[in-house]
Amino acid sequence: MALLRYPAPVDYDAQMSAFENFLDDFKTSPQDSITHALGNIDINEDDLSDEYDFMDEDDDDAQEQRRSERARRRAPRHKYKELLQELADRKINEIVIDLDDLQSWEEDVNEGLKLVESVERNTKHYVEVLSRAVDKLMPQPSNDITFKDDVLDVLMANRQQRNRTLTEAAENLRDPDMLNDTYPAQLTRRYTLVFKPRTMTADGPQKALSVRQVRGDHLGHLITIRGIATRVSDVKPIVQVGAYTCDRCGCEIFQPVTDKQYAPLTLCPSKDCKENQAKGQLYPSSRASKFLPFQEIKIQELAEQVPIGQIPRTLTVLAYGSLVRNVHPGDIVDISGIFLPTPYTGFKAMRAGLLTDTYLEAHHIVQHKKAYTEMQIDPSLLRRIAKFQQTGNTYEYLAKSIAPEIYGHLDVKKALLLLLVGGVTKEVGDGMKIRGDINICLMGDPGVAKSQLLKYISKVAPRGVYTSGRGSSGVGLTAAVMRDPVTDEMVLEGGALVLADNGICCIDEFDKMDDNDRTAIHEVMEQQTISISKAGISTTLNARTSILAAANPLYGRYNTRLSAVENINLPAALLSRFDIMFLLLDTPTRDTDAQLAKHVAYVHMHNRHPDIGTGTGPDSSVFSPEEVRAYVAKAREYRPVVPQAVSEYMVKTYVRLRAQQKRAEKKNQNFGHTTPRTLLGVVRLAQALARLRFSNTVTQDDVDEALRLVEASKESLAQDDRSAGNKRAMNASSRIYNLVKGLADSGACRPDDGQEDDEEDEFGVEMSLRKVKERVIAKGFTEQQWLSALDEYTDLDVWQTAGNGTRLVFITAGGEREGSEDI
């Protein structure tokens, strides 16, 4: 009885010829060459290109050359034929087959071969099929091999020449056995062939799966999985073709390897050794073998993908060739690849029995949040940024775009915006580094939206890690020593601070951390490194991260009967490392509470924030998180410097801040110590403000705004119960006087050409009248109230105007009035 035969589901020969025609004939349409739509025009495709030279207006040859160049760009081109030529010229080592291109070509040809469906259902096989098509159509290199080329290029050229010689000899002599002596196809390929999945299917856009949605039906298919990378191994070479040399007959033997484990050959299987019964020994030849870069990635489900009461699942991803080093721990990625089974090996196989493990062989990786340096900013967004830049209010617009669903806290949002931008990290000639990252601590009563602000910042930042103080140990924040499951070696596993390298680490419930765990952050916040000496491993890890911490006061809510230092209850060594320490108190006031309730009700009714008034419509009122990220990426390209005049102004301001702190200590009203770190923090904030203006120079206004933010962080202290009654009893003029006196004590609002300190002590503190007025108006006072207070205290000889009404001289003798210190 004859065996049953099952016909092949597809005609592989017809598909092979179709793939060859696709690689040879496919052209990109003129629409594809224009990368953006009408609202997103690529100006290089336009007559208004930046390459236009007005000096060539009368040069007909130059104009004709530009027209022909534009016509050439817009003309259809053979995409894959050009890729094959670049492969032959050794300019690239990867060829990406876009299934969207294959689908559009198949629809045009309409042969009914179902190429795209076949590739998606049996991807591993079609990698080899298309690789054969590429080998067959590979053109000759444009340049010959020279002594300057790589050794591997010379080896490849010699192998390909030998294969061609043997193929011609087999055809001439009609001896097919000679083809067995040719090199394996893997040895003559110096490229990696991968597939890029379709963006659209018949059911709609292609959706990424979570790890738990992958089923047995997907085995062998090309699927896309979304997750967060939790562990990324080192890049190691994995053998693809093993080469051996016989010590008797001198033959070269090649062994293609397809699994993770294989048994090396020991006896020579060549024809000469068999005829002579020599049984020659084989010795491995690493130079003639072919190795691929290999990396193992563990991806885990995202928090929103995990069902109720479940724990996140993980999946192993294997990356080969050009796909290694594309993923870092903490990245949120979409990985497209082939879902394959792999049997257990070693002792696991004895326990597992018939069970197998599964993995994903990566083909295409898409990063969800790219680093600032890798971002490609949209031209239309650049035009919108330039339009807002001209108004001069970009700082306000961007600050209101930080968590717009949260009411108020404008100064906190401005500080968080500067945290995203950061200062300039400098390295002195002797190797000492001065950090540019800004650290901020938000301490306040429950219910002031501290955690929501932290969550928003961790989502906006390209590398943002959110962790809680109670659930984090010192090892979890820094690094842990564990055994690598791939190589079985002791390796370091980076914690939250290492994962947030070149990003932001948000730590909630900062006050509830153990003191031993909190000390691990001290080195990170200033030196930005983590020193490890564990299990025979002594090293220093980089942790160039900004720390954003949120904490509650000592007894949950701020106790007005205790001083600020007793309420904060954090060590002074840790407090001095924060550039800004915001104290947010929840004080009941009728107007503010009514506006807050309206805001919350509006968000719940309309499922979006109310119009903040920075644009004409609801969509243009604020920047989206993606636009904020793009603006910050553009701003971080600048490296502002501090000129001499601004430097002298900062020195005088620092001296005044120290004197103000000394006076506050005598009255037991000290909020925090003014240290040299405070001066460095002001420099970092001023540099971040200059970056927001797209400027390479820090101005005096930047320093004033940085000082204002430092003052605003302590503003909530003035709203405690002890001074609330006095504050309500004061009229507008008295409050304006207290505000101006506070500005004079802190050294803010200084004129651009301020005088020396000894002159200021003799005549009074000189300030810019324009800057003082701006501060007063910003506090909610009307211009009439300001003019009234100015005239009233001028008559009392508390201050005088000078310099043709451009300066305000605050006479120091007038600062001893009763009750004027309650700011």
Side-chain angles (χ1 to χ4, degrees):
M1 180 179 175
L3 292 174
L4 293 174
R5 292 187 179 181
Y6 182 73
V10 294
D11 188 353
Y12 287 114
D13 293 334
Q15 286 191 344
M16 183 74 175
S17 60
F19 283 130
E20 293 174 6
N21 294 335
F22 164 71
L23 294 173
D24 199 30
D25 299 340
F26 179 76
K27 293 182 180 180
T28 54
S29 61
Q31 290 83 4
D32 293 336
S33 61
I34 301 176
T35 54
H36 304 333
L38 187 59
N40 192 11
I41 299 173
D42 185 1
I43 58 174
N44 284 330
E45 300 293 336
D46 197 87
D47 287 336
L48 300 175
S49 171
D50 291 338
E51 298 174 3
Y52 185 79
D53 190 356
F54 291 100
M55 299 296 291
D56 293 339
E57 279 188 344
D58 299 327
D59 192 347
D60 295 336
D61 294 339
Q63 290 185 3
E64 185 62 33
Q65 186 176 357
R66 281 195 300 273
R67 288 195 195 96
S68 61
E69 180 68 18
R70 284 197 296 271
R72 186 186 65 79
R73 287 178 183 170
R74 291 173 177 170
R77 59 188 184 88
H78 289 85
K79 177 180 176 180
Y80 293 100
K81 190 178 277 189
E82 294 175 7
L83 279 177
L84 291 179
Q85 187 61 53
E86 291 180 3
L87 274 179
D89 294 340
R90 303 175 299 282
K91 293 180 181 177
I92 58 174
N93 58 359
E94 180 189 47
I95 180 167
V96 181
I97 305 296
D98 195 337
L99 293 186
D100 284 332
D101 295 341
L102 185 59
Q103 185 178 16
S104 63
W105 180 84
E106 191 177 7
E107 289 173 355
D108 293 340
V109 175
N110 196 16
E111 292 182 352
L113 293 176
K114 299 181 179 179
L115 297 179
V116 177
E117 186 180 338
S118 301
V119 169
E120 289 178 338
R121 287 180 173 275
N122 192 8
T123 315
K124 189 75 172 175
H125 176 71
Y126 280 93
V127 169
E128 179 63 27
V129 171
L130 267 155
S131 297
R132 289 182 205 151
V134 169
D135 292 340
K136 189 173 180 181
L137 297 175
M138 185 74 74
Q140 291 296 321
S142 306
N143 304 318
D144 295 332
I145 297 291
T146 63
F147 68 93
K148 295 181 181 179
D149 287 312
D150 192 62
V151 176
L152 190 55
D153 291 327
V154 180
L155 277 174
M156 288 288 183
N158 291 338
R159 288 168 178 171
Q160 290 169 358
Q161 181 62 38
R162 182 172 181 269
N163 277 1
R164 285 194 292 269
T165 305
L166 286 173
T167 304
E168 292 173 0
E171 290 178 357
N172 295 334
L173 299 176
R174 296 180 180 177
D175 184 7
D177 293 337
M178 294 182 67
L179 296 176
N180 296 331
D181 295 335
T182 58
Y183 287 100
Q186 291 91 335
L187 276 179
T188 57
R189 294 174 188 157
R190 199 183 176 183
Y191 62 87
T192 308
L193 190 141
V194 294
F195 289 107
K196 182 181 177 182
R198 288 188 289 175
T199 55
M200 295 290 293
T201 60
D203 301 331
Q206 184 88 24
K207 291 185 179 179
L209 305 172
S210 65
V211 175
R212 67 179 64 238
Q213 289 175 338
V214 181
R215 297 282 184 263
D217 299 341
H218 295 121
L219 280 174
H221 292 197
L222 184 70
I223 61 174
T224 303
I225 296 179
R226 178 171 300 170
I228 181 171
T230 56
R231 183 183 301 163
V232 178
S233 70
D234 294 334
V235 178
K236 296 185 179 296
I238 188 170
V239 65
Q240 191 180 21
V241 179
Y244 305 90
T245 306
C246 179
D247 62 346
R248 295 293 180 90
C249 62
C251 287
E252 262 190 324
I253 307 299
F254 298 100
Q255 179 188 17
V257 179
T258 55
D259 297 328
K260 289 180 69 175
Q261 292 193 347
Y262 73 104
L265 300 176
T266 54
L267 296 179
C268 179
S270 67
K271 186 177 179 180
D272 295 340
C273 284
K274 284 182 179 178
E275 289 177 353
N276 299 328
Q277 297 183 353
K279 295 185 180 179
Q281 291 291 322
L282 293 179
Y283 293 93
S285 173
S286 59
R287 177 167 177 163
S289 302
K290 183 180 180 183
F291 296 89
L292 275 178
F294 165 77
Q295 193 173 32
E296 185 178 277
I297 304 165
K298 290 276 188 184
I299 65 167
Q300 180 179 292
E301 283 181 307
L302 299 175
E304 57 266 22
Q305 295 174 340
V306 182
I308 299 172
Q310 302 287 328
I311 61 171
R313 294 185 183 178
T314 59
L315 180 67
T316 303
V317 179
L318 305 184
Y320 298 96
S322 56
L323 291 171
V324 300
R325 297 188 180 93
N326 283 342
V327 179
H328 305 283
D331 289 350
I332 297 175
V333 290
D334 282 357
I335 301 183
S336 304
I338 315 170
F339 185 58
L340 295 170
T342 176
Y344 286 103
T345 55
F347 290 107
K348 286 185 179 179
M350 298 170 61
R351 295 170 57 187
L354 299 177
L355 297 178
T356 62
D357 199 1
T358 54
Y359 70 96
L360 191 76
E361 185 179 310
H363 271 236
H364 187 68
I365 297 175
V366 177
Q367 291 272 5
H368 274 260
K369 291 199 293 188
K370 294 184 179 179
Y372 287 125
T373 53
E374 299 173 0
M375 274 189 187
Q376 305 260 343
I377 303 178
D378 212 72
S380 64
L381 180 55
L382 280 176
R383 289 195 293 274
R384 188 178 178 210
I385 288 173
K387 185 183 76 172
F388 276 103
Q389 194 76 19
Q390 293 169 1
T391 63
N393 295 327
T394 319
Y395 179 44
E396 300 285 336
Y397 293 160
L398 287 168
K400 291 177 180 177
S401 302
I402 301 287
E405 289 81 10
I406 296 173
Y407 173 76
H409 298 319
L410 184 59
D411 286 331
V412 178
K413 293 179 180 180
K414 287 180 178 178
L416 295 179
L417 175 63
L418 300 184
L419 173 84
L420 287 170
V421 176
V424 179
T425 302
K426 295 182 179 177
E427 186 169 352
V428 192
D430 58 356
M432 186 183 76
K433 290 183 179 179
I434 302 174
R435 69 176 170 92
D437 295 309
I438 297 171
N439 300 325
I440 294 179
C441 181
L442 306 178
M443 176 166 283
D445 295 335
V448 292
K450 300 187 299 294
S451 300
Q452 291 291 345
L453 288 170
L454 262 65
K455 281 279 188 185
Y456 183 89
I457 292 297
S458 66
K459 288 181 180 178
V460 170
R463 294 187 67 82
V465 176
Y466 180 89
T467 182
S468 178
R470 178 58 70 185
S472 302
S473 63
V475 172
L477 286 173
T478 55
V481 177
M482 58 186 306
R483 194 173 296 278
D484 188 359
V486 180
T487 60
D488 210 33
E489 299 173 354
M490 298 299 289
V491 294
L492 282 174
E493 181 87 6
L497 294 170
V498 180
L499 293 181
D501 189 26
N502 286 326
I504 296 174
C505 183
C506 302
I507 305 176
D508 205 357
E509 308 293 346
F510 194 60
D511 56 308
K512 297 175 180 61
M513 290 180 65
D514 293 333
D515 291 338
N516 295 331
D517 298 333
R518 205 186 286 134
T519 52
I521 309 177
H522 284 223
E523 182 187 359
V524 176
M525 292 183 69
E526 201 56 51
Q527 278 73 40
Q528 297 200 309
T529 56
I530 294 174
S531 301
I532 298 292
S533 293
K534 298 177 183 178
I537 299 175
S538 296
T539 184
T540 300
L541 303 176
N542 284 324
R544 296 155 295 190
T545 176
S546 297
I547 303 290
L548 176 58
N552 292 110
L554 178 60
Y555 300 106
R557 289 184 66 88
Y558 190 87
N559 188 350
T560 57
R561 295 177 178 82
L562 300 177
S563 66
V565 177
E566 291 172 321
N567 272 287
I568 292 171
N569 194 34
L570 288 177
L574 192 62
L575 282 179
S576 67
R577 286 171 161 82
F578 285 110
D579 297 304
I580 298 184
M581 171 91 183
F582 272 98
L583 195 58
L584 308 173
L585 302 187
D586 184 17
T587 54
T589 55
R590 182 176 183 84
D591 296 338
T592 308
D593 293 345
Q595 292 175 356
L596 173 63
K598 289 179 182 177
H599 185 96
V600 172
Y602 185 95
V603 170
H604 278 269
M605 288 168 59
H606 299 85
N607 205 21
R608 71 170 189 87
H609 58 84
D611 190 7
I612 298 175
T614 56
T616 55
D619 295 332
S620 62
S621 59
V622 290
F623 291 104
S624 67
E626 291 77 17
E627 291 172 337
V628 173
R629 197 179 305 142
Y631 191 98
V632 171
K634 181 72 175 173
R636 288 173 71 98
E637 297 175 1
Y638 295 86
R639 295 182 62 83
V641 295
V642 182
Q644 180 67 28
V646 179
S647 177
E648 293 174 357
Y649 175 63
M650 293 173 69
V651 171
K652 296 176 185 177
T653 304
Y654 175 66
V655 173
R656 288 184 177 277
L657 285 174
R658 295 278 286 187
Q660 185 183 6
Q661 178 210 336
K662 189 175 181 181
R663 290 195 297 270
E665 283 179 347
K666 290 179 181 178
K667 298 179 181 180
N668 199 20
Q669 293 179 350
N670 189 28
F671 175 73
H673 293 283
T674 302
T675 64
R677 282 179 177 155
T678 309
L679 178 61
L680 288 173
V682 172
V683 173
R684 281 188 280 269
L685 293 170
Q687 287 176 334
L689 285 160
R691 277 179 157 181
L692 277 177
R693 294 185 292 105
F694 294 164
S695 172
N696 282 319
T697 306
V698 176
T699 63
Q700 190 170 322
D701 290 337
D702 295 332
V703 180
D704 283 340
E705 175 62 19
L707 290 168
R708 191 195 68 79
L709 281 176
V710 175
E711 293 166 16
S713 64
K714 310 170 188 177
E715 207 168 70
S716 296
L717 272 180
Q719 301 172 3
D720 60 6
D721 295 336
R722 290 173 297 177
S723 64
N726 296 335
K727 201 159 187 179
R728 281 194 295 270
M730 287 184 186
N731 58 16
S733 297
S734 299
R735 284 183 285 162
I736 290 175
Y737 165 79
N738 285 335
L739 174 61
V740 176
K741 185 179 183 302
L743 295 175
D745 289 342
S746 65
C749 298
R750 305 275 292 137
D752 295 336
D753 53 347
Q755 299 174 355
E756 296 298 325
D757 287 344
D758 51 357
E759 296 179 358
E760 291 165 3
D761 292 338
E762 183 180 350
F763 300 109
V765 180
E766 193 171 285
M767 296 185 289
S768 170
L769 191 63
R770 175 184 59 84
K771 294 180 181 178
V772 173
K773 179 182 175 182
E774 289 175 355
R775 289 288 186 94
V776 171
I777 299 298
K779 289 296 180 183
F781 297 102
T782 63
E783 189 168 357
Q784 186 62 36
Q785 289 173 331
W786 158 244
L787 293 175
S788 175
L790 184 64
D791 294 339
E792 179 181 343
Y793 285 98
T794 302
D795 295 338
L796 292 173
D797 206 22
V798 174
W799 56 54
Q800 297 292 335
T801 56
N804 296 326
T806 60
R807 299 184 182 187
L808 182 71
V809 181
F810 192 97
I811 300 171
T812 53
E816 302 298 328
R817 295 173 66 249
E818 185 68 28
S820 62
E821 296 293 338
D822 292 331
I823 301 175

